[in-house]
């Protein structure tokens, strides 16, 4: 039986690291989120001049652990300040990083407040900042977190469980017009109209599977081949609940300010809406002029703060995609502070 379970989870793109925390408050069998593009992240960091790196999305600590292990292997002492909104992820990461706790400081918080968190931690400047955006495997796997359209639970989707508004509030309280806009803007869902109408008609909707079923029925004539029909709507609601785009925008801009000269900002995104925003900010910050295209003479007085390490995105290798399906949509962008 354990072998069958291991095999299934392996296919579900998770690293198999069973720890059996019987005394944990999480009370779940724990499977770590498998970090994406680890080699590429490590190559992007200039370890020679690295003293402090901020991991803005600690998750279950995969990237932080790999960075610390690499630094140790080359005899370099570094410090990681790691941030995450999610207490459950932090609890798992603390266990996973148990051997490295003198090299890492972990803070529960929002990366949109990175400057404040860095300052409160007594750090002045940092040489690298990592963002591995979006949702972790732990969120999708643990039904009770209410992120997944494959398992039944109360609709929730909050990264930070102290936050008041959850997916249940959004789905049951927002107007049809607002829901349509959310689903269109954050999910790029062509059937946003029909889905929003159907949600409003079928309220109250408390469970993930009920919402998924309503979406499937609203999209009945829509041909879907590769994705579950609820994928985009669930993504949209999650992004809205967690204010993801605003946080990304604020977090990246603050991170750029914090970086030392020659410091690196490294960002992994997983879908086009995230990546467009990341690309826009990095490209703008690397240009001399950010005036609208129809203005003939520059009036913006903008000076670039970044140099892009490469113009195109890096993508995971076929081998990584084969081993970890979740990595298939990953896009890595790196820029250097000038
Ligand atoms: C893809 S996971 C990171 C996985 C991690 N790199 C690892 O190796 O385990 C993204 C993480 O970002 C966190 N997160 C999302 N938005 C955040 C925000 N605004 N501030 C801090 N953490 C955030 C989520 O809770 C989640 O744990």
């Amino acid at each position: 039986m354990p072998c069958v379970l291991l095999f299934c989870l392996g296919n579900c793109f998770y690293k198999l690291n069973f720890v059996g925390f019987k005394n944990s408050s999480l009370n779940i069998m724990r499977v770590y989120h498998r970090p994406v593009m680890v080699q590429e992240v490590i190559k992007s960091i200039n370890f020679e001049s690295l003293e402090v790196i901020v991991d803005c999305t600690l998750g279950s600590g995969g990237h932080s652990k790999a960075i610390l292990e690499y630094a140790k292997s080359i005899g370099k002492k570094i410090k990681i300040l790691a941030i995450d909104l999610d207490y459950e992820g932090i609890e798992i990461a603390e266990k996973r990083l148990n051997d490295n706790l003198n090299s890492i400081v972990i803070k529960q918080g929002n990366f949109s407040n990175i400057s404040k968190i860095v300052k409160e931690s007594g750090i002045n400047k940092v040489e690298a900042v990592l963002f591995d955006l979006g949702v972790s495997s732990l969120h999708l796997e643990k039904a009770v977190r209410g992120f997944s359209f494959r398992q039944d639970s109360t609709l929730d989707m909050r990264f930070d469980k102290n936050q008041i508004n959850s997916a249940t509030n959004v789905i049951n309280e927002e107007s049809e017009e607002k829901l349509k806009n959310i689903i269109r803007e954050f999910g790029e869902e062509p059937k946003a109209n029909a889905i929003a109408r159907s949600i409003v008609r079928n309220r109250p909707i408390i469970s993930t599977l009920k919402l998924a079923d309503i979406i499937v029925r609203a999209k009945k004539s829509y041909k879907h081949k590769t994705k579950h029909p609820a994928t985009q709507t669930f993504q949209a609601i999650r992004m809205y609940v967690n204010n993801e785009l605003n946080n990304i925008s604020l977090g990246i801009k603050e991170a750029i300010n914090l970086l030392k000269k020659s410091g690196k900002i490294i960002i992994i995104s997983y879908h086009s809406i995230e990546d467009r925003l990341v690309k826009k900010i990095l490209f703008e910050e690397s240009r001399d002029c950010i005036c609208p295209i129809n203005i003939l003479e520059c009036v913006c007085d903008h000076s670039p703060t970044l140099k892009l390490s490469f113009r195109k995105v890096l993508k995971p290798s076929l081998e990584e995609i084969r081993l970890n399906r979740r990595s298939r949509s990953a896009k890595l962008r790196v820029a250097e502070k000038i």
Side-chain angles (χ1 to χ4, degrees):
M1 175 62 181
C3 292
V4 175
L5 191 57
L6 285 176
F7 178 74
C8 296
L9 286 167
N11 281 342
C12 286
F13 52 72
Y14 303 113
K15 185 172 183 180
L16 304 175
N17 264 315
F18 289 84
V19 196
F21 299 117
K22 286 205 182 92
N23 56 356
S24 158
S25 60
L26 292 178
N27 199 22
I28 53 165
M29 178 159 58
R30 218 170 271 164
V31 182
Y32 294 135
H33 169 95
R34 185 174 193 148
V36 166
M37 300 186 77
V38 172
Q39 294 310 319
E40 292 82 351
V41 167
I42 285 178
K43 271 191 208 152
S44 306
I45 300 169
N46 182 0
F47 278 89
E48 251 172 51
S49 57
L50 185 69
E51 282 176 34
V52 178
I53 173 166
V54 184
D55 178 354
C56 289
T57 48
L58 174 70
S60 51
H63 282 110
S64 279
K65 188 171 171 67
I67 291 166
L68 285 172
E69 280 173 0
Y70 180 78
K72 201 169 166 194
S73 76
I74 58 166
K76 178 83 192 177
K77 260 194 157 175
I78 63 163
K79 193 109 201 150
I80 298 188
L81 170 62
I83 302 170
D84 205 291
L85 271 173
D86 188 347
Y87 281 111
E88 285 191 358
I90 288 179
E91 198 185 332
I92 293 171
E94 277 170 351
K95 303 262 187 224
R96 189 180 197 180
L97 291 157
N98 202 18
D99 294 341
N100 307 90
L101 289 179
N102 51 352
S103 308
I104 186 161
V105 175
I106 300 175
K107 299 277 180 191
Q108 192 274 341
N110 194 318
F111 59 57
S112 63
N113 298 322
I114 178 176
S115 303
K116 187 163 169 265
I117 298 171
V118 164
K119 204 168 162 201
E120 282 170 0
S121 308
I123 296 165
N124 297 322
K125 283 273 179 193
V126 296
E127 289 85 18
V129 182
L130 169 67
F131 291 87
D132 178 24
L133 299 172
V135 69
S136 134
S137 307
L138 301 168
H139 296 132
L140 299 171
E141 269 303 282
K142 200 174 171 199
V144 72
R145 299 298 301 267
F147 281 90
S148 170
F149 45 75
R150 296 189 195 281
Q151 310 185 69
D152 205 15
S153 173
T154 305
L155 276 165
D156 189 328
M157 303 195 194
R158 291 167 301 166
F159 290 140
D160 178 358
K161 289 207 274 180
N162 290 327
Q163 181 183 304
I164 292 165
N165 263 344
S166 70
T168 297
N169 301 102
V170 174
I171 289 294
N172 291 286
E173 290 164 22
E174 295 292 2
S175 67
E176 182 179 326
E177 182 68 14
K178 179 86 184 182
L179 284 170
K180 182 187 79 185
N181 292 338
I182 293 171
I183 297 168
R184 185 165 289 155
E185 187 183 345
F186 301 122
E188 297 184 323
E189 167 57 72
K191 292 278 178 178
N193 248 334
I195 294 170
R197 196 176 320 123
S198 195
I199 288 174
V200 170
R201 278 193 193 147
N202 285 287
R203 283 169 177 176
I205 304 167
I206 307 299
S207 95
T208 47
L209 287 193
K210 180 170 176 190
L211 177 61
D213 184 51
I214 288 163
I215 298 166
V216 170
R217 282 187 283 117
K219 288 179 76 172
K220 58 186 177 302
S221 60
Y222 184 67
K223 298 263 176 295
H224 53 88
K225 288 185 182 142
T226 51
K227 283 195 255 190
H228 186 289
T231 307
Q232 287 148 284
T233 304
F234 269 63
Q235 171 188 298
I237 302 297
R238 186 204 89 207
M239 290 181 72
Y240 182 75
V241 165
N242 294 295
N243 198 15
E244 288 183 37
L245 292 186
N246 276 338
N247 288 335
I248 292 171
S249 187
L250 289 169
I252 295 178
K253 287 176 185 166
E254 287 208 5
I256 295 170
N257 282 339
L258 277 174
L259 276 174
K260 263 187 184 165
K261 191 168 176 283
S262 305
K264 294 285 186 73
I265 181 160
I266 302 156
I267 307 172
I268 306 173
S269 59
Y270 293 89
H271 55 79
S272 51
I273 304 172
E274 267 172 3
D275 183 57
R276 268 202 301 275
L277 176 61
V278 172
K279 180 178 171 186
K280 180 172 178 285
I281 300 172
L282 297 189
F283 274 56
E284 269 181 15
E285 287 301 324
S286 66
R287 288 216 306 260
D288 287 330
C289 166
I290 53 168
C291 290
I293 206 147
N294 55 345
I295 297 208
L296 295 177
E297 208 165 303
C298 175
V299 286
C300 69
D301 214 16
H302 183 259
S303 335
T305 53
L306 293 178
K307 184 175 109 203
L308 302 178
S309 299
F310 35 85
R311 282 193 82 74
K312 292 205 167 158
V313 287
L314 283 190
K315 293 190 179 163
S317 65
L318 291 176
E319 179 61 2
E320 176 165 6
I321 296 172
R322 192 180 67 74
L323 293 170
N324 178 8
R325 256 178 68 72
R326 183 176 192 264
S327 71
R328 71 195 184 285
S329 53
K331 288 181 178 153
L332 176 76
R333 294 188 184 272
V334 182
E336 182 179 328
K337 179 85 176 267
I338 52 177

